[in-house]
Amino acid sequence: MKPDSIEDVNSTKDMTGVVTTYSDADSPKNPYFDLIPYVCPFLPDSITRGKLGMTQISNGFAGQHRLLNLCNMQNEAAPLGGARLSISVTLQATSFTDVFASPTHTNVATSVPIWRNVTGLVYKNAGDDDDRSDGTPRTRVCNMVWGTFYGTARVAVLAGFGYRVDPCRKVVEVAKLVAPYLPSKPIQMRPTEG
C-alpha cells in the first residue's frame, strides 16, 4: 500500500476531488467497503436545521452497513397532512463511474460545480415524476451524485405533492451545503455511533 493513497485507510490527507478507481465489480476489494460511517454526525445543525429547515433527522440504518449509509431528513409537514420536503445524504462504496453508467436513470445535468474540485451529476430515476395509478401526482424526486475517494456521495430531494420547489434545483443547493462536511480524509471513514 502506498502511503496517502486511496488504499491508505489511516491517511489524514485531504482527498477532496479524488475519485476512486474501484469499480462495483471490485467492491469487496475497495478498502472502504466495510468502513462506511453514519452520515448524520458529519452534518452540523447549522446546516440541517438552520439552512435547510429540517426538523426530523435520522440514520438510514440501525447499525453499520457494509456498502452504504445515509442520513434522512424531513421538514415539518404543512397542516392537514400537507406538503413535506425530504432530503437524504448517502455515502456509498459504489464508484461514480458505475453510478454514471446506470441505465435506470436519466441525466438532467452533468459536471455541475459543487465545491473545491468537485463536480456532480444530477439525475432522475425512471418513474420519479409519474403520477400514481389513481392519477394523483407522486412525490417529485431528483438526485445528485459525485465521485469520492471511497466511492460516491449522493443527495436526494423528495418534494411532496404541493411542496413548491424544483427538486433538481434544490438538490444542487443541498449538495453545495453538505459537501464540505462529508468525509474528505480516509481516517474519517470509520464506523461511528449513530
Side-chain angles (χ1 to χ4, degrees):
M1 169 187 42
K2 203 173 179 184
D4 287 333
S5 68
I6 63 171
E7 290 84 15
D8 183 359
V9 298
N10 296 310
S11 175
T12 58
K13 179 182 177 184
D14 184 345
M15 294 197 185
T16 301
V18 174
V19 178
T20 188
T21 54
Y22 289 99
S23 72
D24 280 1
D26 299 331
S27 284
K29 294 179 184 174
N30 182 333
Y32 303 98
F33 187 69
D34 287 313
L35 294 178
I36 303 297
Y38 283 114
V39 182
C40 293
F42 287 100
L43 305 173
D45 280 350
S46 61
I47 297 296
T48 58
R49 295 180 193 282
K51 292 192 176 179
L52 296 175
M54 299 289 107
T55 57
Q56 299 172 22
I57 302 167
S58 63
N59 291 308
F61 299 101
Q64 294 301 131
H65 196 275
R66 297 182 70 182
L67 175 64
L68 60 90
N69 222 316
L70 61 131
C71 185
N72 290 318
M73 300 176 265
Q74 293 184 332
N75 68 345
E76 286 294 329
L80 303 174
R84 171 172 265 172
L85 182 70
S86 299
I87 297 169
S88 67
V89 180
T90 307
L91 306 179
Q92 60 191 73
T94 304
S95 76
F96 179 75
T97 302
D98 290 331
V99 172
F100 186 83
S102 173
T104 63
H105 67 250
T106 302
N107 295 342
V108 174
T110 59
S111 301
V112 177
I114 301 171
W115 184 58
R116 299 184 340 204
N117 304 318
V118 177
T119 60
L121 164 70
V122 178
Y123 70 92
K124 287 183 158 287
N125 286 312
D128 275 351
D129 293 334
D130 294 345
D131 290 339
R132 294 184 180 105
S133 58
D134 66 0
T136 58
R138 198 182 290 260
T139 299
R140 293 168 296 131
V141 181
C142 201
N143 302 274
M144 184 166 202
V145 292
W146 61 95
T148 63
F149 66 92
Y150 51 84
T152 303
R154 176 179 168 265
V155 173
V157 169
L158 296 80
F161 173 62
Y163 195 90
R164 302 197 184 278
V165 69
D166 175 347
C168 289
R169 279 196 190 146
K170 187 70 174 178
V171 79
V172 174
E173 174 190 326
V174 173
K176 288 179 177 183
L177 287 172
V178 303
Y181 296 96
L182 298 181
S184 60
K185 301 171 184 169
I187 197 75
Q188 293 175 296
M189 298 297 292
R190 292 285 182 267
T192 55
E193 295 300 318

